Amino acid sequence: MNRTHKGLANNMSEANLSIKRYPGFFAVTLFCLFLLYAPLLVVMVYSFNDSVSITRWGGISLRWYYDVFNGAETAKFKTAAWNSISIAVLAAISSTTIATLAALGMIRSARWRGKSVSFALINLPLMVPEIVTAVATLIFFSAIGFRTGYASILIAHIVFCIPFAYLPIAARMQGIESIYEQVAMDLYATRAKAFTKILIPLLMPGIISGFLLAFIISLDDFIITNFVKGAGIETLPTAIFGAVKQGIKPNIMAISTLMLLVSVLLVCISYIVGRSGSITPKKE
Amino acid sequence: MKNRFTSTIVKASLATAFALTSTVANAEGSLSIYHWFEYIPQEVLDKFSEEHDVEVTMDTYDSNESMLATLKAGKLGSYDVAVPGDYMVEIMRNGGLLDSFEPAELSNFDNIMEQWVDVGFDPGRKHSIPYQWGSTSFSVNRDMYEGDINTTGILFEPPEELAGKINMLDSQGEVLALASMHLGIEQCNSNRDELKALNALLQEAKPKWASFNSDGAKDVLVSGDAAAGMIWNGFSAKARNEGANIEYVYPKEGLVVWMDNVVLLKDAPNRDNALKFMDFLLEPENIAAITNFAQYTAGVKGVNELLDADLIASPETNPPADAPAGSFVAVCDEETQKLYDQIWTNLKK
Amino acid sequence: MKSQSNSQQNNIVPANATFHNQKNKLLLPAWLVIGFFLVVPVLMMLVYSFLTKEFRGGVIWEFSLAAYDQFFFDRGLFGDEPAKIDWTYIKIYGRSALQALIATLLCLVIGFPTAYYIATRPVRSRPLWVFLITIPYWVNLLIRTVSMKFLIRDNGPLNTWLLQAGIIDQPIHLINTNLAVQLGLFYSYLPFMVLPIYASIERFDFSLSEAAADLYASRWTTLRQIILPMVKPGIIAGCILVFVPSLGAFLAPDLLGGAKNFMIGSLIEEQFKGNAGNWPFGAASSMILLIIVLLVLLIYARNESHAQGAR
């Protein structure tokens, strides 16, 4: 992975770009992005709707944005957004960490009794229908006298985020030959060093994918959160579900648009920070 | 990459710090409400909070049954009051989930309208006070259908023009009650032939329905996706105010009436504040604010003068003189309920 | 993987199992967290499925097989006809599985080329593409689904646009159809397909494609015979992440499909939050789902580890 090797690989792939390219893949990607963003366009456009209905257009207005920041429910939504984001970040960090270690134990081990059971256990949160997890967890929490609140939401989120983080990381790890750690260890690096210095950087795309999936799944969860949250604690989904019972009002559209804005801002910041901060050469 | 991770970790620890400070719940001077989604304006809660120096927290639920499930799964003891519908009050009362109070404990008890004091689901109002009431029937878009609409046949034996353009509420109790009225049979029936007829009626009507949707019942009417839709009266009024040319129907076969009630929950952590809150909601001024918001009808004397003019005049709260009396959804015993559950499953399988 | 293909097959730990001896320590956090906070509650639900239903929600602590009986046997509306196999619930499961399968295939068909395209972008811009895929998911699922519904209405923007462009001459009726459900599921879970595939293609050494091309393999042969086998773990991970949650999903089916027919998710939801209030039946239904999915995954994991051992 020295520079010459990297340069060579780059030159080679540039010379043979056509080999890498598949006709139509770019079109599919554009189509995919179109599908992802088309409904959001509706959200954005209708956040500027002057009417109270989402199906009737009443002219352009900023009143819903004013309402978001100065309405009666401003405080509620602000706390809810903050709870949601902080829980999603914490749950994603914890579950990604747990999942990375678990993937290392699963993928970098030989066959052993109970390995497939362990695989099923890690993916169990995927398989239990959400409503069952919700009811069961609430019954369990109240049975052991665990007070429902921020902490109970966080724990429940960490649990169901684990497979979402695990699967991309494990898939990535399967594609990395163990020769890298082996060489490092042959050169007297400890296991921990081989893991943090060699494997983690190689795993990074998998870790980022797992982290992002865990993050968005936590950010979006309603059913489980609604059951295990304590009185008075709201996350964005529970607050939004609460507000749309009588039909979606444009203020929800405005809040959603603002969330998009926050996400785009975060991405830009991390891109700029990543650009100026990191000079670590990456593989390939 | 590294920087991004350090910054996330910093953010995470800030969040943890926030988490620790935000979970403080003060048992003194607080009130914990378990309420329907989107059914009480924040201003009313703030007013109560200010008048009585009580910290109010509110959790919301989306159906009577999901409230019951949450309470039964272990949340009983964390809320002071809830707002169940008529039949649910009876179920909760029978299930021992309610605390009782004496009329003397509420200084405004006498504000309750006479006809709402001795109700079947809570005789003498030992556990509950009226909150809002209304009716469940259906509305028809007059641009899309001009024929006679004064019959439940619009839903259950729809004319050709309406087939495939009908939205139903996704609510077992109300759909089956209205269908029973259409057939002219009793609710909580165990007569086999009549139940078979009910089952057959629904099976035949189903292909002519477009969807089951409760939350979107208003939107599908406003957008014109549905030409007719089962709906609650206040919800229909909102649809009309948003510009849909719809008419709320008082069908000759009958319609469902419902009443939501504020109940005192068993093991309420702040019983005194709960009673203060009930008393507060029996003040005409406060309950009128809620009525103006929800567009239903209060069960308290002296509210009428405080309502918005268009609400007083709205056709959804002023049935015509020849409208039939509505009836509550009946609470069946276990054996009978099983039959109705089976019919509902048959319908949705 | 390949470099050790012919290494030890006996009881000695192969050299590629670099963390074999540490596995228990590494897996412990996952086992503990899931074991305590999920397995225990799920076991409670398993017990519930064998208890007597309490009228209107809850359970009575008396053993009963009524929930499983209700699932598999039909005794007529009044419960007094001779028992015959009840296809009602089995059909609901089949229907949900079919919808989930189609949604998974849709995700794969769109997601694979997208992931591939992202993986062949310059290194620096790849994270941006990945974010581009996940940004829409900052908006709540409910809102996204409702907006989707708005788009595909009979007289919604999609139909208007297609009509104006002259592509169709009659509005496509999508809303409240199975296709709308599949579209909704597809839309709910697309990134769960793209990201794992991306994470695994990103590793792909494209000099292999070049080698294949040198041997006169066509692009598509290369894709099928070289690339696909290498990124199989990513594809499988993506399929699991889309298919399994789709099975129990109920928001997209309810809002876009019109909720006229139960899906697994809405059936179970109804038992806990609906009028039926039949917790043992809800528990039994989810245990049946859980067991089916668990078996499939166990068989997959077993084959996988056999394959791994055989190499």
Side-chain angles (χ1 to χ4, degrees):
Chain A
M1 274 180 297
N2 54 41
R3 295 212 155 231
T4 29
H5 174 89
K6 187 185 162 203
L8 195 64
N10 270 355
N11 284 343
M12 269 170 68
S13 56
E14 264 155 39
N16 290 296
L17 261 184
S18 58
I19 308 284
K20 263 164 83 172
R21 281 213 182 129
Y22 281 83
F25 276 23
F26 178 57
V28 175
T29 308
L30 282 186
F31 181 63
C32 174
L33 290 176
F34 169 75
L35 283 176
L36 286 175
Y37 283 86
L40 298 185
L41 221 62
V42 176
V43 172
M44 282 185 232
V45 168
Y46 276 82
S47 68
F48 297 103
N49 188 359
D50 196 27
S51 126
V52 285
S53 162
I54 53 150
T55 48
R56 297 215 165 191
W57 181 253
I60 294 179
S61 149
L62 284 174
R63 64 188 267 211
W64 299 110
Y65 287 91
Y66 181 82
D67 183 74
V68 168
F69 291 106
N70 299 288
E73 293 181 321
T74 303
K76 184 173 113 188
F77 275 106
K78 231 190 234 164
T79 344
W82 177 239
N83 282 344
S84 263
I85 294 177
S86 63
I87 287 175
V89 168
L90 288 177
I93 290 177
S94 321
S95 57
T96 311
T97 312
I98 293 171
T100 310
L101 296 177
L104 194 63
M106 289 292 289
I107 308 296
R108 287 296 193 255
S109 63
R111 279 176 69 190
W112 42 277
R113 277 176 74 88
K115 190 167 180 178
S116 31
V117 174
S118 173
F119 177 75
L121 184 68
I122 293 168
N123 289 294
L124 190 68
L126 265 184
M127 292 180 263
V128 189
E130 266 195 273
I131 179 74
V132 177
T133 311
V135 176
T137 309
L138 176 55
I139 294 173
F140 175 63
F141 278 166
S142 41
I144 60 171
F146 191 79
R147 216 186 132 81
T148 51
Y150 189 95
S152 61
I153 305 176
L154 182 60
I155 288 173
H157 279 222
I158 292 174
V159 174
F160 72 70
C161 283
I162 289 175
F164 288 92
Y166 172 83
L167 284 168
I169 297 172
R172 172 80 180 179
M173 202 179 286
Q174 281 175 52
I176 300 171
E177 301 82 352
S178 56
I179 193 82
Y180 295 106
E181 312 104 80
Q182 284 178 39
V183 167
M185 285 189 261
D186 287 347
L187 297 171
Y188 304 106
T190 59
R191 270 208 169 69
K193 266 246 162 72
F195 175 57
T196 50
K197 297 279 179 207
I198 309 289
L199 253 181
I200 291 269
L202 285 171
L203 275 177
M204 216 24 120
I207 293 177
I208 292 176
S209 297
F211 177 88
L212 285 175
L213 289 186
F215 179 81
I216 59 180
I217 204 81
S218 160
L219 197 65
D220 228 10
D221 180 75
F222 168 70
I223 304 176
I224 295 174
T225 313
N226 195 38
F227 266 79
V228 303
K229 79 195 179 77
I233 291 195
E234 298 274 7
T235 64
L236 213 44
T238 64
I240 286 177
F241 271 67
V244 301
K245 195 61 190 170
Q246 307 260 310
I248 296 180
K249 280 187 301 183
N251 66 333
I252 301 296
M253 299 299 201
I255 289 171
S256 304
T257 309
L258 290 172
M259 283 295 281
L260 277 180
L261 202 70
V262 171
S263 69
V264 171
L265 271 178
L266 282 181
V267 170
C268 293
I269 292 169
S270 69
Y271 186 67
I272 293 163
V273 168
R275 194 161 205 147
S276 59
S278 98
I279 32 159
T280 345
K282 249 188 97 199
K283 207 246 156 196
E284 218 188 62
Chain B
M1 209 48 77
K2 248 181 204 162
N3 280 3
R4 194 182 306 160
F5 256 81
T6 357
S7 72
T8 359
I9 288 166
V10 171
K11 263 183 256 162
S13 28
L14 282 175
T16 324
F18 175 81
L20 293 175
T21 52
S22 72
T23 37
V24 183
N26 196 349
E28 297 251 314
S30 64
L31 173 73
S32 179
I33 304 172
Y34 202 23
H35 205 315
W36 286 90
F37 277 148
E38 185 87 342
Y39 199 3
I40 187 164
Q42 186 66 38
E43 293 83 356
V44 174
L45 292 176
D46 291 346
K47 186 180 170 204
F48 174 76
S49 180
E50 217 163 277
E51 270 179 21
H52 295 271
D53 194 22
V54 163
E55 194 193 327
V56 178
T57 52
M58 181 170 79
D59 258 2
T60 51
Y61 52 82
D62 57 357
S63 75
N64 278 311
E65 286 75 17
S66 81
M67 180 234 342
L68 185 68
T70 320
L71 291 178
K72 282 199 166 182
K75 285 265 183 96
L76 194 66
S78 38
Y79 301 113
D80 299 303
V81 293
V83 190
D86 44 87
Y87 69 97
M88 189 50 70
V89 174
E90 189 169 340
I91 291 167
M92 291 171 81
R93 190 166 57 95
N94 294 340
L97 299 173
L98 302 182
D99 193 359
S100 58
F101 55 83
E102 291 301 318
E105 290 183 77
L106 296 176
S107 57
N108 293 330
F109 190 86
D110 292 336
N111 285 358
I112 302 176
M113 290 169 128
E114 258 82 62
Q115 72 260 41
W116 297 123
V117 176
D118 224 12
V119 283
F121 51 83
D122 183 14
R125 292 284 181 188
K126 297 259 185 297
H127 313 274
S128 68
I129 59 159
Y131 185 68
Q132 299 284 312
W133 68 274
S135 61
T136 314
S137 159
F138 59 93
S139 292
V140 179
N141 188 324
R142 287 315 236 161
D143 293 338
M144 295 162 97
Y145 184 73
E146 287 169 345
D148 174 32
I149 54 171
N150 194 21
T151 166
T152 43
I154 293 285
L155 295 179
F156 298 106
E157 288 166 89
E160 271 316 302
E161 299 98 302
L162 289 175
K165 292 178 193 151
I166 297 170
N167 177 59
M168 299 296 286
L169 291 178
D170 202 355
S171 158
Q172 180 182 336
E174 285 162 304
V175 171
L176 296 186
L178 212 54
S180 303
M181 288 174 198
H182 178 72
L183 290 176
I185 59 177
E186 294 277 305
Q187 292 188 58
C188 292
N189 205 323
S190 41
N191 179 312
R192 294 191 163 212
D193 293 333
E194 292 182 353
L195 284 181
K196 276 184 185 157
L198 180 64
N199 190 43
L201 176 76
L202 295 167
Q203 292 296 331
E204 255 170 61
K206 184 183 174 187
K208 299 184 174 143
W209 295 339
S211 54
F212 286 91
N213 192 341
S214 298
D215 299 357
K218 184 191 75 184
D219 286 335
V220 290
L221 284 172
V222 175
S223 69
D225 287 346
M230 200 177 156
I231 198 165
W232 302 288
N233 60 337
F235 216 22
S236 181
K238 286 187 178 175
R240 187 173 47 81
N241 290 336
E242 287 179 22
N245 180 21
I246 55 168
E247 192 176 327
Y248 184 74
V249 182
Y250 295 87
K252 58 177 188 287
E253 292 87 351
L255 72 170
V256 174
V257 169
W258 51 263
M259 172 173 254
D260 288 330
N261 308 272
V262 183
V263 294
L264 183 61
L265 288 170
K266 197 182 148 202
D267 303 332
N270 314 288
R271 191 174 182 275
D272 289 348
N273 288 335
L275 290 172
K276 273 187 206 157
F277 185 63
M278 289 172 137
D279 235 356
F280 175 82
L281 290 178
L282 289 175
E283 304 257 4
E285 186 193 341
N286 301 326
I287 196 73
I290 295 168
T291 304
N292 279 328
F293 175 80
Q295 311 230 334
Y296 292 111
T297 311
V300 170
K301 294 176 207 159
V303 166
N304 256 357
E305 301 82 76
L306 304 163
L307 296 182
D308 296 344
D310 49 346
L311 182 58
I312 296 176
S314 103
E316 287 83 2
T317 43
N318 294 290
D322 58 346
S327 21
F328 285 113
V329 171
V331 178
C332 313
D333 62 57
E334 187 166 0
E335 277 311 301
T336 320
Q337 185 59 43
K338 219 188 214 166
L339 303 176
Y340 283 87
D341 290 348
Q342 183 65 45
I343 291 176
W344 184 251
T345 308
N346 282 346
L347 177 63
K348 301 252 286 178
K349 73 185 177 191
Chain C
M1 235 145 78
K2 52 196 180 319
S3 52
Q4 284 81 30
S5 348
N6 44 14
S7 69
Q8 309 90 319
Q9 233 219 68
N10 39 23
N11 284 336
I12 303 165
V13 174
N16 64 346
T18 37
F19 285 83
H20 186 79
N21 296 330
Q22 283 71 35
K23 64 177 188 298
N24 290 338
K25 222 173 6 181
L26 291 165
L27 283 161
L28 197 65
W31 288 342
L32 275 184
V33 171
I34 295 175
F36 190 66
F37 290 108
L38 192 65
V39 175
V40 176
V42 165
L43 286 178
M44 278 167 40
M45 274 291 144
L46 182 67
V47 173
Y48 272 33
S49 74
F50 289 104
L51 295 179
T52 307
K53 113 180 209 200
E54 187 182 332
F55 188 39
R56 314 262 183 208
V59 286
I60 299 165
W61 283 85
E62 263 168 46
F63 177 79
S64 159
L65 284 172
Y68 291 93
D69 182 89
Q70 183 184 345
F71 194 96
F72 292 109
F73 297 105
D74 178 11
R75 291 193 161 77
L77 182 56
F78 301 98
D80 53 3
E81 289 164 31
K84 52 180 195 284
I85 299 281
D86 186 354
W87 294 100
T88 311
Y89 301 110
I90 301 172
K91 271 190 195 145
I92 292 173
Y93 276 50
R95 180 162 56 222
S96 303
L98 186 69
Q99 305 282 41
L101 187 70
I102 296 176
T104 310
L105 289 178
L106 278 174
C107 280
L108 187 59
V109 168
I110 303 283
F112 181 84
T114 308
Y116 185 94
Y117 182 78
I118 296 175
T120 52
R121 293 303 88 209
V123 174
R124 282 217 175 273
S125 64
R126 281 177 210 163
L128 267 189
W129 282 92
V130 171
F131 281 120
L132 212 55
I133 298 291
T134 50
I135 282 176
Y137 292 76
W138 278 66
V139 171
N140 188 269
L141 177 65
L142 177 74
I143 309 296
R144 275 184 283 127
T145 312
V146 168
S147 309
M148 177 80 138
K149 188 175 173 181
F150 177 83
L151 271 181
I152 64 173
R153 284 167 46 205
D154 287 354
N155 44 6
L158 179 74
N159 272 316
T160 318
W161 180 73
L162 286 176
L163 282 170
Q164 271 171 3
I167 300 172
I168 50 170
D169 44 39
Q170 276 227 326
I172 315 174
H173 179 66
L174 268 177
I175 201 79
N176 301 331
T177 63
N178 282 339
L179 187 59
V181 175
Q182 290 144 16
L183 259 174
L185 289 174
F186 158 80
Y187 183 52
S188 309
Y189 299 109
L190 186 57
F192 302 98
M193 183 66 84
V194 177
L195 266 54
I197 297 184
Y198 157 74
S200 113
I201 303 191
E202 212 261 355
R203 250 317 272 172
F204 185 71
D205 183 355
F206 286 98
S207 55
L208 286 174
S209 307
E210 285 144 23
D214 289 345
L215 298 168
Y216 303 105
S218 77
R219 271 207 202 97
W220 297 106
T221 316
T222 313
L223 181 69
R224 231 182 29 246
Q225 308 218 326
I226 315 271
I227 303 180
L228 279 183
M230 297 287 278
V231 300
K232 199 178 122 206
I235 294 178
I236 288 171
C239 289
I240 295 175
L241 281 178
V242 174
F243 183 76
V244 181
S246 291
L247 272 180
F250 72 96
L251 199 65
D254 268 18
L255 279 175
L256 298 169
K260 283 177 76 180
N261 296 312
F262 278 132
M263 299 274 278
I264 299 178
S266 45
L267 175 75
I268 294 172
E269 176 96 356
E270 178 87 5
Q271 307 311 316
F272 290 101
K273 287 175 74 176
N275 221 300
N278 192 341
W279 290 17
F281 184 66
S285 309
S286 35
M287 286 308 135
I288 291 166
L289 173 68
L290 181 63
I291 286 165
I292 297 171
V293 181
L294 207 59
L295 278 179
V296 173
L297 273 195
L298 274 178
I299 292 168
Y300 157 74
R302 186 149 288 217
N303 283 344
E304 197 63 1
S305 75
H306 273 262
Q308 201 185 351
R311 272 200 302 263

